[in-house]
Amino acid sequence: MSDHFGGPALFLDRSDINTDEIIPAKYLTEISKEALKPYCLEDLSLEGFDHQSEAMAQARVIVTRKNFGCGSSREHAPWVFEVNDIKVVIAESFARIFRQNMYNCGMMAIELAAPELDRLFELAEYGQVHIHIDVNRRQINAETHTKRLTFNFDITPFDMALVNAGGWINFVDTRY
Amino acid sequence: MGQTIAEKIFARHFRDEPFPGVNILNIDRVFCHEILTPIAINDLIQRGRDGVFDREKVKAIIDHVTPSKDSKTATQAKTMRDWARRVGLKDFFDVGQNGVCHALFPEKGFIRPGQTVIMGDSHTCTYGAFGSFAAGVGTTDLEVGIMKGICSFRPPVTIRINLTGELRAGVYAKDVILYIIGAIGVNGATDRIIEFHGPVVNKMSMEARMTLCNMAVEAGATTGICEPDATTVDYLWPFIQAEYRDRNSALDDFSQWRADIDADYSETLNFDLSSLEPQVTYNYKPDCVKTVGEMAGTPIDQVYIGSCTNGRLEDLRIAAEVLKGHKIADTIRAILSPATPATFQAAIKDGLIDIFMEAGFCVTNPTCGACLGLSNGVLAEGEVCASTTNRNFNGRMGKGGMVHLMSPATAAATALQGSIADARTISAQP
Ligand code: SF4
């Protein structure tokens, strides 16, 4: 496990982004994760968003609003992030299956309260935000050239164990 | 303190609590389809663990794109087929026997009250209609389910929804669930289980209860559950008659899976549905709902009747009643996909297929296909579909397409008029 999740952040200022937007169903006929790579967020309806942009290519963390990942149970949604080196999503809340899929893959779906999330979104107005997740301290460090913010987050012992194990399958193997 | 249905099922299936707030459950049914399973199968092979925990409890189907439409879907199907044979699954449904999973598995009598069911598919919640705890999961959970027959869940927190009053003629389970989702929102039941109660549910057929539970996930719910009753027993009777002396003893047994009167709910919501109007979605979220009256006249290019929500025999009957003796509008193309081979066959015998075809419908084989924009009725950019499915997400039935969700009756009326229409305004033909 790396305790250094992080990198440039991509801000998606919308609630209820669904799994069809993250990875359209027509790509579910692929049977390798790598094949999904070019289609990340292809159908996202968000003013000004371009899934082929440089910002998308560089993103390592996604910051978004409520109920992220609602819709289908497709694990292709976390996978398309994984193959694009995005291992963290920060949101006010997540849909159950998406959240569970993230931790099952050893990745992180971090919840932040709305006021803190607002401050994080405001930071983005000062330029490119780099986010570093300090897993052991349960801290999100976000910085631009001129400003720096730190947030604390909670993670359940179970989710932490999944991140440490590198996912649910490894965890299961040591226990059941 | 009494227990909710889910609490009773969790208690009976409890395996472990590795951390506070995490329940590992034993799973009775692990269902697999060709979209979310092949990657798990390939991973199991790679780990040298190619097998299943129980060849009767793991069941599989090819349903999302079937028969295969291209090399990629053919490879997915082949992966499933080879695996099902190799590991010796007792039940596997391929071309000729297959249909939409959540319509076919209940029809085969695979789901019983009190069971735990997982599937790599979000609409697994459909099976809650039988009083089971049935939840959609991703591929990793599915893989562990296949390997070990276990899955992790948070302890159940249940919202009780009481549905009272009497539905008017022309108002169906689909209208009820669209209305509920509209009321509580796509996030309204996240990490919660919805228990449906009240006279409206008690009167519903199993098909209607499946429609109701099918869309619980569109409100974010882990699953929807109805209490098993005499309707449940009647539906399952052909499959359980060897196990019980008579229907009453089956009912007695099933009753252990009813909620206790003093059960603890996180919330209780009451909906009086006496004046409910048929519902139709607008926009790209299933909680964007209006009455058919407000949506009437919206131009439509394609009508689709089918899916795990509304592709069962009862749905076909309702639509056929509206269509009988009429022709669809010139500007419309209309597609019917009966959800299972048995539904298809019964619809032929009952003369329903004749009614659809005489009206101008194209009738396709049972498959998910158009519902997720993969085959048999994909929309072009800018096209609008009136659909009996469960998701109106942006691009769901084809990139740039718009989907309006509605009941089979409203979809049929819409096909006739060429724009969204209220079935109650169509005059019945003898
Ligand atoms: S019919 Fe549609 S919603 Fe139902 S299982 Fe198939 S793709 Fe999913």
Side-chain angles (χ1 to χ4, degrees):
Chain A
M1 188 273 305
S2 104
D3 53 356
H4 295 288
F5 286 97
L10 178 71
F11 288 78
L12 305 176
D13 195 359
R14 218 199 82 195
S15 288
D16 304 320
I17 291 174
N18 66 60
T19 51
D20 277 77
E21 293 179 284
I22 297 169
I23 181 77
K26 64 177 183 242
Y27 303 121
L28 304 187
T29 60
E30 301 292 348
I31 55 173
S32 86
K33 298 180 188 179
E34 286 68 32
L36 304 172
K37 195 171 178 188
Y39 313 118
C40 190
L41 292 164
E42 183 181 283
D43 275 356
L44 178 65
S45 74
L46 180 64
E47 181 105 355
F49 178 78
D50 172 9
H51 85 282
Q52 289 169 322
S53 66
E54 198 49 27
M56 177 70 237
Q58 285 177 356
R60 296 294 172 266
V61 177
I62 286 175
V63 183
T64 180
R65 298 288 185 178
K66 273 190 226 168
N67 198 29
F68 186 78
C70 60
S72 104
S73 58
R74 64 189 68 161
E75 205 159 305
H76 303 66
W79 293 337
V80 77
F81 291 144
E82 188 182 2
V83 296
N84 280 284
D85 286 324
I86 296 169
K87 308 244 166 79
V88 182
V89 181
I90 300 171
E92 191 182 328
S93 61
F94 294 92
R96 175 189 68 91
I97 304 175
F98 177 83
R99 189 186 168 288
Q100 184 145 331
N101 285 343
M102 285 289 282
Y103 285 105
N104 279 348
C105 293
M107 303 198 288
M108 301 187 77
I110 299 175
E111 280 162 337
L112 265 195
E116 299 193 296
L117 208 51
D118 285 342
R119 287 174 55 218
L120 192 49
F121 269 94
E122 276 162 29
L123 187 65
E125 290 163 21
Y126 294 86
Q128 174 65 56
V129 178
H130 283 255
I131 288 181
H132 170 251
I133 310 294
D134 187 331
V135 180
N136 295 323
R137 286 212 176 99
R138 315 277 200 267
Q139 269 181 354
I140 299 169
N141 296 305
E143 57 188 3
T144 65
H145 283 307
T146 55
K147 244 175 123 72
R148 184 191 165 99
L149 291 176
T150 299
F151 304 93
N152 296 317
F153 67 90
D154 277 335
I155 179 167
T156 68
F158 180 51
D159 290 338
M160 194 65 224
L162 293 179
V163 172
N164 284 329
W168 173 228
I169 294 180
N170 295 343
F171 180 87
V172 162
D173 272 340
T174 61
R175 197 164 168 122
Y176 303 104
Chain B
M1 180 56 78
Q3 289 181 307
T4 63
I5 304 174
E7 282 168 349
K8 292 183 178 188
I9 299 175
F10 270 52
R12 188 71 67 85
H13 292 80
F14 181 81
R15 167 80 171 267
D16 187 21
E17 187 175 14
F19 296 98
V22 181
N23 288 180
I24 308 296
L25 301 186
N26 291 315
I27 304 298
D28 297 315
R29 296 278 178 267
V30 179
F31 294 150
C32 309
H33 67 52
E34 88 280 16
I35 295 289
L36 290 201
T37 319
I39 291 190
I41 295 170
N42 290 337
D43 192 62
L44 286 167
I45 294 173
Q46 227 171 34
R47 290 171 188 269
R49 317 270 291 267
D50 189 24
V52 296
F53 86 103
D54 185 319
R55 51 176 287 277
E56 294 194 14
K57 292 181 178 169
V58 179
K59 301 181 187 294
I61 190 165
I62 299 169
D63 66 346
H64 276 55
V65 184
T66 186
S68 302
K69 66 171 173 135
D70 56 18
S71 308
K72 283 182 177 169
T73 52
T75 303
Q76 287 185 312
K78 181 170 168 18
T79 306
M80 289 299 281
R81 202 172 281 135
D82 292 350
W83 171 70
R85 286 189 193 135
R86 203 167 60 234
V87 301
L89 294 191
K90 180 166 167 279
D91 298 294
F92 169 63
F93 302 92
D94 204 340
V95 177
Q97 273 78 49
N98 60 5
V100 177
C101 52
H102 309 311
L104 190 119
F105 289 148
E107 210 178 77
K108 296 285 176 190
F110 289 162
I111 299 109
R112 307 290 165 77
Q115 284 181 335
T116 49
V117 187
I118 61 167
M119 180 170 194
D121 193 284
S122 56
H123 295 104
T124 305
C125 52
T126 310
Y127 311 129
F130 292 83
S132 70
F133 173 78
V137 296
T139 299
T140 301
D141 275 336
L142 183 71
E143 189 171 333
V144 169
I146 290 169
M147 242 188 327
K148 313 249 181 192
I150 56 172
C151 193
S152 80
F153 290 96
R154 290 180 174 181
V157 178
T158 304
I159 300 175
R160 182 184 174 106
I161 294 190
N162 296 319
L163 302 174
T164 58
E166 186 145 0
L167 295 184
R168 293 176 175 173
V171 179
Y172 302 97
K174 181 64 161 287
D175 302 305
V176 173
I177 189 64
L178 285 175
Y179 177 72
I180 294 171
I181 296 165
I184 70 176
V186 291
N187 201 10
T190 302
D191 272 321
R192 301 282 183 270
I193 290 155
I194 299 176
E195 258 184 31
F196 294 105
H197 291 270
V200 172
V201 191
N202 298 343
K203 263 196 214 156
M204 281 183 182
S205 65
M206 288 310 294
E207 285 83 354
R209 291 178 195 179
M210 284 189 253
T211 302
L212 191 68
C213 292
N214 175 271
M215 291 192 72
V217 68
E218 306 313 329
T222 304
T223 193
I225 307 189
C226 299
E227 287 189 311
D229 61 7
T231 307
T232 321
V233 172
D234 289 345
Y235 184 98
L236 287 175
W237 189 245
F239 309 100
I240 60 173
Q241 48 186 331
E243 296 163 38
Y244 295 100
R245 204 173 54 245
D246 53 26
R247 291 185 198 227
N248 273 335
S249 58
L251 184 58
D252 275 352
D253 184 28
F254 284 6
S255 296
Q256 64 180 303
W257 304 112
R258 296 173 69 87
D260 293 332
I261 13 175
D262 55 347
D264 190 21
Y265 297 96
S266 68
E267 221 180 323
T268 297
L269 303 172
N270 298 304
F271 294 101
D272 181 346
L273 301 173
S274 301
S275 56
L276 184 70
E277 288 282 295
Q279 306 283 304
V280 177
T281 64
Y282 63 95
N283 213 333
Y284 299 118
K285 289 199 302 164
D287 59 358
C288 296
V289 178
K290 291 184 178 174
T291 65
V292 68
E294 290 171 292
M295 293 297 291
T298 307
I300 296 292
D301 300 298
Q302 173 173 299
V303 168
Y304 183 77
I305 297 180
S307 86
C308 59
T309 321
N310 282 124
R312 298 183 181 81
L313 191 58
E314 183 174 291
D315 302 313
L316 271 51
R317 274 208 188 101
I318 290 165
E321 228 166 85
V322 177
L323 294 171
K324 194 173 181 200
H326 295 286
K327 292 247 179 286
I328 63 169
D330 292 344
T331 52
I332 282 277
R333 52 182 199 274
I335 300 166
L336 165 70
S337 174
T340 68
T343 298
F344 201 164
Q345 214 171 2
I348 291 171
K349 282 197 186 129
D350 291 1
L352 306 179
I353 298 299
D354 278 343
I355 296 173
F356 278 98
M357 294 189 73
E358 278 158 21
F361 268 69
C362 157
V363 182
T364 85
N365 67 300
T367 179
C368 293
C371 171
L372 76 168
L374 280 183
S375 64
N376 293 28
V378 179
L379 302 178
E381 181 112 34
E383 285 190 323
V384 183
C385 185
S387 178
T388 67
T389 55
N390 48 35
R391 288 205 169 124
N392 55 350
F393 298 159
N394 182 23
R396 173 75 182 183
M397 294 182 78
K399 198 176 174 69
M402 163 65 87
V403 180
H404 296 288
L405 305 175
M406 57 187 71
S407 73
T410 309
T414 299
L416 298 180
Q417 189 161 301
S419 57
I420 293 178
D422 187 340
R424 298 169 302 180
T425 64
I426 309 277
S427 60
Q429 299 292 306

